[in-house]
Amino acid sequence: GQNIDQPTEMTATEGAIVQINCTYQTSGFNGLFWYQQHAGEAPTFLSYNVLDGLEEKGRFSSFLSRSKGYSYLLLKELQMKDSASYLCAVMDSNYQLIWGAGTKLIIKP
Amino acid sequence: IAGITQAPTSQILAAGRRMTLRCTQDMRHNAMYWYRQDLGLGLRLIHYSNTAGTTGKGEVPDGYSVSRANTDDFPLTLASAVPSQTSVYFCASSESDRGPTEAFFGQGTRLTVV
């Protein structure tokens, strides 16, 4: 079966760095996405990785290792507005997105 | 403002009733999707459409139907609602069903079946 695993909840301090991990087992691989979802709102796109390595975009970076079936989202200089759920999704061989349950990130002052 | 719009925002529905959730996008995207999001579970695909005139079944299609008469609209119909269909429903669109194209989501419809 297809499976995406992420921690259910994480807590971090304002100004700090946090890493949210995602492991996956899917039928084929056509890229991995990270989305941010604030409570009661729609998911919004953060990043896409299809090749191994680190993609940096401002305070957010995303890493992929296809051989390990592993990705992480790195958030630096955390701000209170970063409190949200972070969703990992893998596009499988049929170009369907398989979604993880999401990681709720709580930022404390 | 360009984007994707869902209606209604929320609805309480009696079991057994028929309901259509509306979704409209003005970005001329080819691909559109309907997901449901339940606590503790990832987004689950109900139905999708790769282009106007075609639809396909996702992971959890039972009890739902869709149509794609044109590029902009992708309504989702519950023929006879049941309590297990209580969920938040998101419509999404992307330029293509292939490759690294991000999906844009509507604001969601919170449906409660009683």
Side-chain angles (χ1 to χ4, degrees):
Chain A
Q2 308 204 92
N3 195 52
I4 310 286
D5 284 319
Q6 351 177 193
T8 301
E9 186 175 297
M10 299 182 70
T11 302
T13 304
E14 190 177 15
I17 299 173
V18 70
Q19 177 175 312
I20 302 174
N21 296 325
C22 171
T23 58
Y24 63 89
Q25 291 177 307
T26 56
S27 302
F29 181 84
N30 280 300
L32 185 145
F33 295 78
W34 284 96
Y35 281 76
Q36 181 189 60
Q37 185 178 24
H38 285 99
E41 298 183 9
T44 55
F45 172 81
L46 286 177
S47 68
Y48 171 78
N49 294 69
V50 68
L51 300 176
D52 289 353
L54 187 68
E55 296 276 347
E56 296 186 78
K57 192 185 293 185
R59 294 189 298 114
F60 292 9
S61 303
S62 56
F63 172 83
L64 176 67
S65 169
R66 288 173 298 172
S67 63
K68 295 182 179 179
Y70 167 71
S71 172
Y72 67 72
L73 181 69
L74 191 72
L75 291 72
K76 303 176 185 176
E77 301 169 14
L78 285 170
Q79 302 175 10
M80 297 304 292
K81 67 178 182 180
D82 298 329
S83 293
S85 288
Y86 291 87
L87 313 180
C88 174
V90 172
M91 185 170 279
D92 69 9
S93 57
N94 294 320
Y95 296 94
Q96 297 289 350
L97 280 176
I98 311 300
W99 295 83
T103 298
K104 183 178 180 180
L105 178 64
I106 299 168
I107 310 296
K108 295 186 174 179
Chain B
I1 298 176
I4 183 163
T5 304
Q6 292 182 231
T9 304
S10 66
Q11 181 75 44
I12 298 174
L13 185 67
R17 296 296 296 269
R18 180 184 179 91
M19 172 82 187
T20 295
L21 308 186
R22 300 184 298 279
C23 176
T24 300
Q25 54 104 357
D26 61 3
M27 298 175 282
R28 307 303 293 173
H29 284 172
N30 286 316
M32 296 189 75
Y33 313 88
W34 273 106
Y35 292 96
R36 60 178 289 172
Q37 187 175 41
D38 302 291
L39 195 63
L41 299 176
L43 288 162
R44 291 184 292 169
L45 183 65
I46 304 170
H47 284 286
Y48 65 93
S49 169
N50 294 333
T51 188
T54 68
T55 62
K57 294 181 179 180
E59 180 186 355
V60 289
D62 294 343
Y64 307 95
S65 63
V66 291
S67 62
R68 187 86 184 278
N70 55 61
T71 298
D72 299 344
D73 301 302
F74 191 44
L76 176 75
T77 297
L78 288 68
S80 178
V82 295
S84 62
Q85 292 177 312
T86 294
S87 187
V88 179
Y89 291 85
F90 286 102
C91 180
S93 71
S94 62
E95 196 173 311
S96 168
D97 64 317
R98 303 291 162 113
T101 55
E102 66 179 278
F104 293 83
F105 285 80
Q107 77 273 30
T109 295
R110 186 173 296 274
L111 181 67
T112 303
V113 182
V114 297

